[in-house]
Amino acid sequence: MKRAVYVSAFVGLISLALMLTRSLPAFAANAKASVTIDPDSGTVEDVFTLQVILTGDLAGGVQAPFFEKTDEFRIEKRGSSSRFSVVNGAQSSELTFTFALFPESKLKPGNYKTPAGYVFIGGQRIKIEPQDLTITANSESSTAKHVRAGGVEFNQILSKREVYAGQQVTYVAEIASSLNLAGATFDDPDFSGFWHESFGKAKETVRSIVNSNVIVHSLREALFPNKPGTLVIPARKMVVEIKVPSRRRVDLGFGVFDDLWDDILPEDFDVVKKNITAEPAAIQVNPLPPAPVPNLEYVPVGTVKVNFSIDKKTVKEGESVNVAIELRSDAYLRPYELGYDPSNSDFKIYADKPAVEASVHGDKIEFKKRFSFAVVPQKPGDLTLPQLKIVSFDPDNAKYNIYDTPQTVLHVTPDPTAAKLSVSGNIPAPTAESARAEEVVPLAEDLLPQHIGRAALYTTRLLPQSIFWACLMIPPVFSLLILAFLRVNESYISNPQKVIRRKAYSKAMDALSRTEENDMDTLANIFRTYLYERLSIPAASLTAREVAERVGEKVKSQDVIEKVREAFVALESFAYSGRIQHIQGASLKNAITDIVTKVEKAG
Amino acid sequence: MNFCTCLLLFALALPSVASSQPTEAITYFNKANTSYEEGKFSHAVELYEKALHLGLRNGHLFYNLGNAEYRLGMVGKAVAAYRKALLDIPSDPDVLANLTLARKLVKQRIEDSTHGIVDIGFLAIAGKFLNRFELKLAFLAANCLFWSFLVVAARYKSGGSQIAVVISLLLMVMFAIPLYTLSGESGVIIAKEVKVYSGNGESFQVIFVLTEGVELDVGEHRLGWSQVFLGEGRKGWVKDSDLDLIRL
């Protein structure tokens, strides 16, 4: 029994192992490794980026690639990245390993291969193929030196040492230093003999040179020699500021707690200034060969592209046509002028101020200069716009290029609305210059004379807009108010009852003020009259309770109703017994006055 | 009677002149006239401008200034001066005659410019006799009359008051139309040749070139430039220094 168990377990383990072994290649069966080198050519001082890209099914596990050791290159790992995606339900992943490849300093220019490598994916070894790499010699004008840690180098570098007058040369002022550089100040360069354009602010890059990283500050200018001969950019000075760690505390002779202080206290630096001088740079400037066109004031030297445009070719007499000529070139275009012959009688041509722009394109400055003209035909018919000749010199091919603007015919139609010049009599019209003179010939004898005398001595009055608008608004507002008032009055006139009702209160109050307190008959009359006129209640024919009820229908105040009832009870009592009663402690007259006021307030 | 009507009639009774004029300005004006008579036209122009600067401002002074500028061949400035004179004395025959003469020397003309007055027959007649101040007062008076008659007509509903409302309304229209056209701004080109740009700056396209004396309607003003209308729906921009705006 035991044996059977052992045998079964053994067979199971073997089977499992076989299964695993067989499946491992299946994991990596779809994985691939590709490698790229960027750039594929450079000098021994450059750093090249080597990337190994693994794609496919990487679920089986990936080990970092490794390369064979060589005497030609040193490879350092820089990092890795991964990407996973699902497309149409299919999963895929990509893993990229990045390496920096440093050529050894002793390497000579030539064609090389990067070291071969291997990567294990799911247990399977995949080869990384070597890549072609070209090591070039340092440029002829480059004087960059290896920099040791703590050192600073300052160089002036020219892209060309022999050019034609006017041809663009790139000038680089470069400082290479270790990582402890705090700042640098250049003195102003002496570019006499050159026109120059800046590439912009100084740039900072990190370069790896001989096992150490250095910071390189470079300032680029485009130079255009403006005369032949040997032109020298003199030795140039700069001041650098170098950070040097300073002592943080008094040295007591024993440094038991040095590490602790190092961790707690922040790092401190002193800045040390150092003067450095760059070597002068010389350039040989050749004169241009004789030009094919005489009397040229300035010839751009470089590749020139010309764009000619005209906005319309059919115009009316007196209307203007806009002509634009745009030049794009690496030649220095600022001094270049272009214009039409002003003696042409068919046109009057007005030139706008040319617009010029400079921009950086790769390692050169490119200029764009735009000449704009307003051309006004002076007579109707088919008039041919004069052509312009643009001459430039191509330094790469050492020949002149001539561009003629296209021959353009303008169709000018006559303008019937243009008035003709007319002058009275035989007196010619003066020109602008002569017209300024004190003694001028009159334009016309029939010009009417001056206005003189008191009639001409006044100042015209002006009405401010604000006052005008205010006066404009007053009548309508006033009129509308009047109309509203009249409408209200009319409604009273057509309905006498309204007038009576409106006057009932004032009539009652007036009567009450003239009536004695003991004059009960008059008080009763006033009260009943008021109730009839104001509320249409015939109080004379109703009992006190009925009057109170009717008042209650019109006036929703229990207090008023109660007082009305009490007042009428008092009046009835007087009528029967001749006895004067008081209402809530007040005389009847005051009570009626109070009732009338409260009814009026209740509306 | 409507209170505001009384107020306006009182205002109308006031002369449309200031009561006292600066003495120095009068002196310059008289000297300018003398210089003109002596044929010293540029000196006359200078003195007329000094009188203007000192506060003497009326149609006759602009007319005299226009004559002096005309003599000097400054056609554009002469036309502008005559146009300003017309704002004050629109019916003055001397101004109209000299303006016509000056316009003959202008090489170009914008055909559909209003030149300040819309000519729609008798409705525009008021503008030919009354200056802007008088037109405004007349319009305000007509406005008062209209509202007064409206109240009366609403109250009494008589035929006479209704006719009066219609008449006063017509009067308002008669004075409003020339006021409206005078409210639009116009100008005259005073430089010998002026480029008209498509925008308010020299970096824009030149769309037209105008000569001295051209009269234009003016729109917006922006940063030393004025928008002008060139007829047939076209518009452009000219520098303020090349244009004299027609305003008192």
Side-chain angles (χ1 to χ4, degrees):
Chain A
M1 186 65 175
K2 269 190 192 174
R3 192 179 297 166
V5 169
Y6 288 143
V7 168
S8 302
F10 182 72
V11 169
L13 279 170
I14 297 296
S15 304
L16 189 62
L18 283 171
M19 270 171 56
L20 285 173
T21 310
R22 282 173 57 192
S23 65
L24 277 174
F27 285 147
N30 296 327
K32 284 179 190 165
S34 60
V35 60
T36 61
I37 182 81
D38 179 50
D40 58 6
S41 71
T43 68
V44 291
E45 292 169 0
D46 291 329
V47 177
F48 301 86
T49 302
L50 195 67
Q51 278 194 330
V52 177
I53 304 163
L54 306 177
T55 54
D57 191 353
L58 307 177
V62 177
Q63 285 183 344
F66 62 92
F67 294 90
E68 292 171 353
K69 280 199 185 309
T70 69
D71 292 332
E72 292 159 346
F73 301 102
R74 182 170 54 84
I75 296 179
E76 290 179 3
K77 191 178 171 187
R78 282 288 180 262
S80 61
S81 62
S82 62
R83 193 163 60 101
F84 176 79
S85 64
V86 177
V87 177
N88 294 331
Q91 298 175 353
S92 65
S93 55
E94 185 180 286
L95 193 56
T96 303
F97 291 91
T98 305
F99 300 87
L101 186 139
F102 299 90
E104 293 297 341
S105 56
K106 62 179 190 283
L107 220 58
K108 292 194 186 318
N111 294 323
Y112 295 87
K113 288 235 184 247
T114 60
Y118 297 92
V119 61
F120 281 94
I121 303 173
Q124 187 184 4
R125 190 174 77 163
I126 298 174
K127 189 178 178 185
I128 299 168
E129 297 296 335
Q131 300 296 304
D132 293 323
L133 178 62
T134 304
I135 298 296
T136 59
N138 289 338
S139 59
E140 234 178 68
S141 59
S142 170
T143 58
K145 297 177 186 173
H146 296 306
V147 176
R148 288 175 291 178
V152 179
E153 290 292 334
F154 176 30
N155 300 297
Q156 296 189 104
I157 305 163
L158 292 167
S159 60
K160 291 185 178 66
R161 291 293 185 155
E162 188 173 343
V163 293
Y164 285 98
Q167 187 178 353
Q168 186 172 153
V169 175
T170 305
Y171 163 89
V172 180
E174 192 177 84
I175 309 164
S177 70
S178 62
L179 293 170
N180 56 359
L181 191 65
T185 313
F186 293 96
D187 69 348
D188 287 331
D190 181 8
F191 288 139
S192 57
F194 297 93
W195 295 301
H196 61 98
E197 292 283 330
S198 171
F199 274 71
K201 291 183 184 171
K203 283 189 183 165
E204 184 181 293
T205 52
V206 176
R207 196 182 290 173
S208 181
I209 298 176
V210 193
N211 300 328
S212 63
N213 287 332
V214 297
I215 293 179
V216 179
H217 296 265
S218 56
L219 198 64
R220 291 158 74 88
E221 301 258 352
L223 300 182
F224 304 85
N226 54 31
K227 58 184 180 184
T230 303
L231 301 182
V232 176
I233 299 169
R236 195 171 167 190
K237 293 187 181 49
M238 60 168 277
V239 177
V240 293
E241 292 168 348
I242 303 169
K243 282 196 284 190
V244 173
S246 64
R247 294 180 70 84
R248 290 183 293 273
R249 62 197 178 283
V250 174
D251 189 356
L252 298 174
F254 54 92
V256 174
F257 298 105
D258 277 357
D259 288 341
L260 177 63
W261 295 130
D262 285 345
D263 289 339
I264 293 172
L265 297 175
E267 283 196 301
D268 212 354
F269 291 93
D270 288 330
V271 173
V272 174
K273 287 190 181 177
K274 190 174 175 182
N275 291 323
I276 301 173
T277 303
E279 292 171 6
I283 182 169
Q284 180 61 37
V285 181
N286 299 323
L288 293 179
V293 175
N295 301 325
L296 288 173
E297 287 185 12
Y298 176 77
V299 176
V301 177
T303 310
V304 177
K305 290 179 191 161
V306 183
N307 183 36
F308 173 88
S309 65
I310 185 165
D311 63 346
K312 51 188 178 228
K313 292 186 182 175
T314 303
V315 291
K316 278 187 194 172
E317 189 184 349
E319 267 191 1
S320 75
V321 168
N322 289 299
V323 172
I325 301 169
E326 189 177 272
L327 273 64
R328 282 178 185 268
S329 177
D330 59 346
Y332 192 67
L333 291 181
R334 291 192 190 277
Y336 184 68
E337 293 297 335
L338 195 61
Y340 285 94
D341 181 6
S343 64
N344 190 308
S345 60
D346 287 347
F347 301 98
K348 268 204 174 161
I349 300 178
Y350 304 90
D352 279 338
K353 192 176 166 187
V356 62
E357 290 171 16
S359 57
V360 176
H361 280 256
D363 61 349
K364 283 194 169 184
I365 292 275
E366 189 180 88
F367 288 89
K368 186 167 78 171
K369 192 161 187 177
R370 186 180 172 89
F371 299 90
S372 301
F373 304 94
V375 177
V376 184
Q378 296 298 292
K379 58 186 184 188
D382 289 343
L383 307 177
T384 305
L385 192 66
Q387 286 180 282
L388 290 176
K389 205 177 276 293
I390 298 164
V391 180
S392 65
F393 182 78
D394 179 358
D396 296 331
N397 297 313
K399 65 173 186 133
Y400 282 94
N401 292 324
I402 299 173
Y403 173 88
D404 288 309
T405 56
Q407 204 166 38
T408 310
V409 176
L410 298 180
H411 307 289
V412 184
T413 54
D415 184 3
T417 62
K420 300 291 179 212
L421 184 63
S422 64
V423 179
S424 303
N426 295 323
I427 302 162
T431 62
E433 295 307 311
S434 62
R436 298 279 170 186
E438 283 296 319
E439 295 177 59
V440 295
V441 176
L443 287 172
E445 289 297 338
D446 52 354
L447 190 65
L448 292 170
Q450 301 292 77
H451 288 180
I452 56 175
R454 290 189 64 80
L457 300 175
Y458 66 89
T459 294
T460 307
R461 192 177 283 264
L462 300 169
L463 187 65
Q465 279 296 100
S466 51
I467 295 178
F468 174 74
W469 283 106
C471 290
L472 196 64
M473 288 296 115
I474 290 171
V477 169
F478 210 65
S479 301
L480 287 171
L481 284 172
I482 291 172
L483 275 173
F485 175 76
L486 284 176
R487 189 174 283 275
V488 167
N489 269 348
E490 266 181 13
S491 69
Y492 283 109
I493 290 167
S494 61
N495 189 346
Q497 273 300 109
K498 270 191 183 173
V499 179
I500 293 168
R501 215 173 288 136
R502 188 164 53 88
K503 288 183 179 172
Y505 170 74
S506 54
K507 184 178 161 189
M509 294 303 283
D510 187 45
L512 283 168
S513 66
R514 285 185 276 108
T515 306
E516 296 291 329
E517 273 192 14
N518 298 328
D519 189 353
M520 300 303 283
D521 291 325
T522 309
L523 285 174
N525 261 345
I526 292 168
F527 194 30
R528 288 190 182 103
T529 306
Y530 172 76
L531 287 175
Y532 178 73
E533 288 178 350
R534 184 65 179 87
L535 300 174
S536 305
I537 297 171
S541 56
L542 299 173
T543 63
R545 188 178 60 83
E546 284 168 342
V547 171
E549 276 174 9
R550 296 283 279 270
V551 167
E553 287 167 11
K554 309 260 181 178
V555 178
K556 308 292 178 193
S557 168
Q558 200 54 41
D559 179 43
V560 167
I561 296 165
E562 192 54 38
K563 282 194 173 152
V564 165
R565 193 190 64 76
E566 283 177 1
F568 269 94
V569 163
L571 284 171
E572 283 171 359
S573 167
F574 174 77
Y576 285 124
S577 64
R579 202 158 45 95
I580 297 171
Q581 276 188 359
H582 281 73
I583 298 176
Q584 295 179 10
S587 67
L588 188 60
K589 178 182 169 182
N590 289 342
I592 291 171
T593 308
D594 186 39
I595 290 166
V596 167
T597 308
K598 283 185 175 167
V599 165
E600 208 56 37
K601 271 189 187 167
Chain B
M1 202 177 191
N2 195 326
F3 171 74
C4 66
T5 313
C6 294
L7 198 64
L8 275 170
L9 287 174
F10 173 70
L12 271 170
L14 291 173
S16 63
V17 301
S19 54
S20 64
Q21 301 308 309
T23 319
E24 208 181 345
I26 295 171
T27 310
Y28 278 123
F29 178 75
N30 291 331
K31 279 185 181 174
N33 288 341
T34 310
S35 294
Y36 182 91
E37 294 303 322
E38 290 170 359
K40 297 175 187 170
F41 302 118
S42 60
H43 192 230
V45 166
E46 206 180 297
L47 292 170
Y48 282 130
E49 282 172 354
K50 275 189 181 160
L52 272 172
H53 181 69
L54 287 168
L56 185 66
R57 186 171 283 264
N58 60 63
H60 302 288
L61 193 152
F62 279 113
Y63 166 79
N64 289 359
L65 174 64
N67 286 349
E69 285 166 342
Y70 182 92
R71 294 291 185 195
L72 291 171
M74 295 151 68
V75 174
K77 289 195 171 183
V79 168
Y82 292 139
R83 288 279 308 274
K84 287 178 191 175
L86 283 177
L87 290 180
D88 183 37
I89 41 176
S91 56
D92 190 287
D94 293 352
V95 179
L96 291 168
N98 284 5
L99 176 60
T100 307
L101 203 64
R103 279 176 174 162
K104 285 183 183 170
L105 298 180
V106 176
K107 294 177 191 172
Q108 292 170 315
R109 198 174 302 129
I110 305 296
E111 277 306 317
D112 56 357
S113 169
T114 59
H115 292 176
I117 297 287
V118 170
D119 188 8
I120 44 171
F122 76 95
L123 285 177
I125 199 167
K128 294 183 180 174
F129 297 103
L130 302 175
N131 64 31
R132 195 179 286 186
F133 177 76
E134 288 158 355
L135 278 170
K136 280 184 178 176
L137 284 186
F139 178 76
L140 288 174
N143 181 51
C144 264
L145 284 173
F146 168 75
W147 287 102
S148 303
F149 285 130
L150 194 68
V151 167
V152 170
R155 175 70 180 87
Y156 296 107
K157 293 183 174 47
S158 65
S161 57
Q162 286 168 354
I163 291 169
V165 165
V166 171
I167 291 172
S168 54
L169 188 62
L170 263 176
L171 280 174
M172 276 177 68
V173 169
M174 264 181 65
F175 297 129
I177 288 175
L179 257 184
Y180 173 74
T181 55
L182 285 174
S183 67
E185 215 168 12
S186 52
V188 180
I189 300 290
I190 54 174
K192 287 291 173 197
E193 265 178 356
V194 163
K195 290 184 200 175
V196 181
Y197 294 85
S198 59
N200 61 327
E202 288 179 346
S203 55
F204 289 91
Q205 259 191 346
V206 174
I207 53 170
F208 220 79
V209 177
L210 294 175
T211 54
E212 190 183 8
V214 172
E215 296 166 72
L216 304 154
D217 292 328
V218 177
E220 277 182 70
H221 299 279
R222 224 186 272 171
L223 300 173
W225 291 76
S226 295
Q227 188 186 44
V228 294
F229 299 95
L230 303 168
E232 296 174 358
R234 292 174 298 181
K235 47 191 174 188
W237 292 80
V238 297
K239 286 186 202 168
D240 283 348
S241 53
D242 293 332
L243 186 71
D244 195 353
L245 292 171
I246 308 304
R247 40 165 95 132
L248 275 177

